């Protein structure tokens, strides 16, 4: 499962991360070059974080994920490459407390799977520096079923939601937002977490994802 998710991450996130996704936030690439603390929430096998650690050696990277198996894979890959500016920890991100030190926090297709997404987003807000950026990639769609009738891959996304994302959360007694929690719900929850400055961007080649560039108000 983790190998499959890492492969999917390579195709949707890692391949576009440096040239397309990070530049969506003005000035972010320059700050990464200068050196900031970065956290990836729900990092999985760490492919995106490892790439950033290689490209931006002056920055410091931390990856949290609930799965010890995924974290073990991430650590092994980082060690194989010989990276010294990255660390991974098996951690429930619902208890996140970073003391406002991270200049960038990322979450790639991870928030809607959480048992307690509200707690995770609040923790992200608290862990973010006052001038920090939260970059959240999540599925492009509406929170309302009737507004997704013309979505070209809606049947696929709702199926994935029922077969995995929603049930992963519900199995932990969670909120069960599912893949198609949607733009409206995501925007509401970001604001409730204290991330009130939000821009939603898309990439021309990517029909599946929204990219939320969020900051504290």
């Amino acid at each position: 499962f983790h190998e499959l998710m890492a492969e999917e991450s390579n195709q949707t996130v890692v391949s576009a991360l440096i040239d397309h996704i990070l530049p969506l936030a003005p000035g972010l690439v320059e700050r990464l070059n200068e050196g900031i603390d970065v956290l990836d929430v729900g990092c999985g096998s760490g492919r995106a974080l490892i790439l950033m650690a290689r490209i931006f050696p002056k920055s410091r990277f931390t990856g949290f994920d609930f799965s010890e198996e995924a974290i073990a894979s991430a650590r092994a890959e980082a060690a194989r490459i010989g990276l010294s500016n990255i660390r991974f920890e098996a951690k429930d991100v619902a208890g996140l407390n970073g003391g406002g030190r991270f200049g960038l926090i990322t979450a790639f297709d991870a928030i809607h799977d959480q048992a307690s997404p509200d707690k995770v987003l609040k923790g992200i807000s608290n862990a973010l520096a006052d001038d920090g950026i939260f970059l959240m990639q999540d599925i492009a769609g509406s929170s309302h079923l009737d507004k997704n009738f013309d979505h070209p891959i809606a049947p696929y996304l709702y199926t994935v939601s029922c077969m995995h994302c929603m049930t992963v959360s519900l199995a932990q007694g969670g909120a069960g937002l599912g893949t198609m929690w949607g733009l409206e719900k995501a925007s509401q929850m970001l604001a409730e977490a204290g991330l009130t400055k939000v821009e939603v961007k898309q990439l021309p080649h990517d029909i599946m994802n929204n990219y939320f560039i969020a900051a504290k108000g």
Side-chain angles (χ1 to χ4, degrees), residues 25 28 31 39-42 96 102-111 117 120-125 127-129 131-138 181 186 189-191 193-195 197-199 211-216:
L28 178 57
R31 293 179 65 187
L39 172 65
D40 188 20
V41 171
L96 183 63
F102 291 103
L104 170 66
I105 300 178
T106 57
F108 298 114
D109 199 24
I111 298 300
V120 174
L121 289 173
K122 186 62 177 177
I124 287 171
S125 181
L128 203 63
D131 62 347
I133 295 169
F134 175 42
L135 171 57
M136 181 177 77
Q137 171 247 325
D138 219 296
W181 63 319
M189 293 185 70
L190 286 168
L195 298 162
K197 295 170 63 176
V198 180
E199 289 185 85
Y211 295 88
F212 296 79
I213 313 300
K216 298 178 183 180

Side-chain angles (χ1 to χ4, degrees), residues 2-3 6 43-47 50 67-81 88:
H2 295 297
E3 289 177 3
C43 65
S45 298
R47 300 291 179 88
I50 287 170
S67 168
E68 302 223 6
E69 185 179 348
I71 289 297
S73 175
R75 286 173 175 164
E77 180 64 12
R80 185 189 69 81
I81 297 171
F88 293 97

Side-chain angles (χ1 to χ4, degrees), residues 141-144 147 181-189 212:
S142 173
S143 304
H144 307 289
K147 294 183 179 179
W181 63 319
L183 174 63
E184 298 89 344
K185 186 66 173 177
S187 299
Q188 173 194 334
M189 293 185 70
F212 296 79

Side-chain angles (χ1 to χ4, degrees), residues 152-170:
I153 55 172
Y156 165 73
L157 293 172
Y158 278 111
T159 301
V160 169
S161 184
C162 292
M163 297 297 290
H164 177 69
C165 302
M166 184 181 293
T167 51
V168 163
S169 176
L170 291 174

Side-chain angles (χ1 to χ4, degrees), residues 50-129:
I50 287 170
L51 176 62
M52 286 192 283
R54 290 174 55 195
I55 299 297
F56 305 109
K58 292 183 179 179
S59 287
R60 300 156 298 278
F61 298 87
T62 300
F64 291 154
D65 197 278
F66 188 74
S67 168
E68 302 223 6
E69 185 179 348
I71 289 297
S73 175
R75 286 173 175 164
E77 180 64 12
R80 185 189 69 81
I81 297 171
L83 295 172
S84 60
N85 62 334
I86 192 168
R87 71 180 188 93
F88 293 97
E89 181 180 343
K91 183 180 179 69
D92 182 353
V93 293
L96 183 63
N97 182 7
R101 70 181 181 91
F102 291 103
L104 170 66
I105 300 178
T106 57
F108 298 114
D109 199 24
I111 298 300
H112 68 258
D113 292 314
Q114 303 297 318
S116 303
D118 54 342
K119 292 181 180 178
V120 174
L121 289 173
K122 186 62 177 177
I124 287 171
S125 181
N126 291 337
L128 203 63

Side-chain angles (χ1 to χ4, degrees), residues 29-44:
V29 171
E30 290 77 8
R31 293 179 65 187
L32 286 164
N33 276 317
E34 292 168 0
I36 56 175
D37 288 301
V38 180
L39 172 65
D40 188 20
V41 171
C43 65

